[in-house]
């Protein structure tokens, strides 16, 4: 079974991480979930109707952010890589600097060192030069900076459509096919 690490950090857009868990469950990919403390705060603001237990129940395994000895902290634990959705500027900076100061940034560092796929759904606007330089650094290390920019050329009815489209495109980068993703020209 293919497995992927899903990181949810404290940028606005907890719904991107939630959508990733939902789509990955629908295609039976094993998910390993790490949520930062700040993301738990954004979840309270953005998804007040959902309890954290309901969210974590979507993942196959859930790790404490401080559990630096967890399986995903080791390169010997094989995965297809890691999606961070959404990725805050703080987490981006930590990854760019190789800080590994919590389990999420350690897992991202491991994914990079093992030359596996790392996709960061970064969210901030406007960007200062530090943000841009951190994106450059992560790109040079082999990561993919994937801001969830809405594709308005596709028919969009709801915010959920926009979120689902961005997340499905991000999962495409892991060769994970989401059948409901509309593809241009098909
Ligand atoms: C409601 C809310 C929205 C936020 N939105 C963003 C954002 O879009 N991008 C960002 O980089 N930080 C955002 N932040 C700030 C981060 O949560 C903060 O920098 C935090 O330290 C990130 O920690 P983490 O990377 O460990 O999750 C937001 C915070 C809150 C409470």
């Amino acid at each position: 079974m293919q497995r992927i690490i899903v990181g949810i950090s404290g940028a606005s857009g907890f719904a991107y991480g939630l959508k990733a868990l939902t789509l990955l469950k629908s295609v039976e990919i094993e998910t390993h979930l790490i949520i930062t403390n700040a993301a738990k705060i954004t979840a309270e603001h953005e998804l007040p109707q959902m309890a954290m237990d309901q969210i974590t129940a979507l993942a196959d395994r859930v790790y404490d952010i401080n559990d630096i000895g967890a399986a995903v902290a080791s390169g010997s634990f094989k995965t297809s890589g890691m999606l961070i959705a959404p990725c805050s500027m703080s987490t981006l900076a930590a990854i760019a600097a190789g800080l590994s100061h919590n389990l999420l940034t350690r897992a991202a560092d491991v994914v990079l060192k093992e030359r596996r796929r790392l996709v960061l759904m970064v969210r901030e606007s406007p960007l200062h030069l530090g943000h841009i330089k951190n994106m450059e650094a992560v790109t040079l290390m082999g990561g993919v900076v994937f801001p969830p920019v809405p594709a308005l050329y596709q028919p969009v009815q709801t915010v959920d459509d926009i979120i689902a489209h961005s997340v499905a495109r991000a999962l495409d980068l892991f060769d994970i096919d989401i059948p409901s993703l509309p593809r241009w020209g098909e």
Side-chain angles (χ1 to χ4, degrees):
M1 193 187 217
Q2 192 178 356
R3 57 162 78 116
I4 185 169
I5 307 166
V6 176
I8 305 182
S9 70
S12 181
F14 195 101
Y16 289 104
L18 180 63
K19 182 59 72 178
L21 293 172
T22 310
L23 292 178
L24 288 164
K25 198 171 182 64
S26 74
V27 291
E28 294 182 3
I29 306 260
E30 187 180 296
T31 49
H32 292 251
L33 175 64
I34 312 165
I35 302 176
T36 69
N37 293 327
K40 289 181 179 167
I41 296 173
T42 57
E44 283 170 18
H45 287 277
E46 298 180 347
L47 300 168
Q49 73 283 11
M50 280 194 91
M52 195 45 68
D53 286 357
Q54 283 175 278
I55 295 165
T56 55
L58 292 165
D60 291 287
R61 277 187 73 179
V62 184
Y63 302 91
D64 186 284
I65 189 69
N66 296 313
D67 185 7
I68 212 68
V72 291
S74 170
S76 65
F77 185 76
K78 280 213 152 186
T79 67
S80 302
M82 180 171 186
L83 173 70
I84 305 182
C87 182
S88 73
M89 293 302 103
S90 171
T91 286
L92 168 72
I95 295 168
L99 280 186
S100 297
H101 68 308
N102 62 36
L103 183 62
L104 188 149
T105 52
R106 168 61 186 169
D109 201 62
V110 166
V111 164
L112 286 177
K113 85 180 172 72
E114 299 295 331
R115 309 303 197 264
R116 296 176 190 147
R117 182 64 98 195
L118 177 68
V119 178
L120 308 182
M121 297 188 85
V122 294
R123 206 227 75 96
E124 191 50 280
S125 187
L127 301 170
H128 62 56
L129 185 58
H131 299 145
I132 294 167
K133 285 190 167 177
N134 287 333
M135 290 182 200
E136 179 192 39
V138 170
T139 303
L140 289 171
M141 289 182 225
V144 179
V145 176
F146 188 110
V149 179
L152 299 178
Y153 54 83
Q154 297 282 9
V156 170
Q157 308 285 340
T158 63
V159 172
D160 191 68
D161 288 345
I162 294 173
I163 291 171
H165 186 265
S166 286
V167 174
R169 290 284 291 112
L171 294 176
D172 241 7
L173 294 168
F174 296 87
D175 273 337
I176 295 171
D177 194 41
I178 303 297
S180 57
L181 171 69
R183 292 183 186 278
W184 190 250
E186 288 181 10

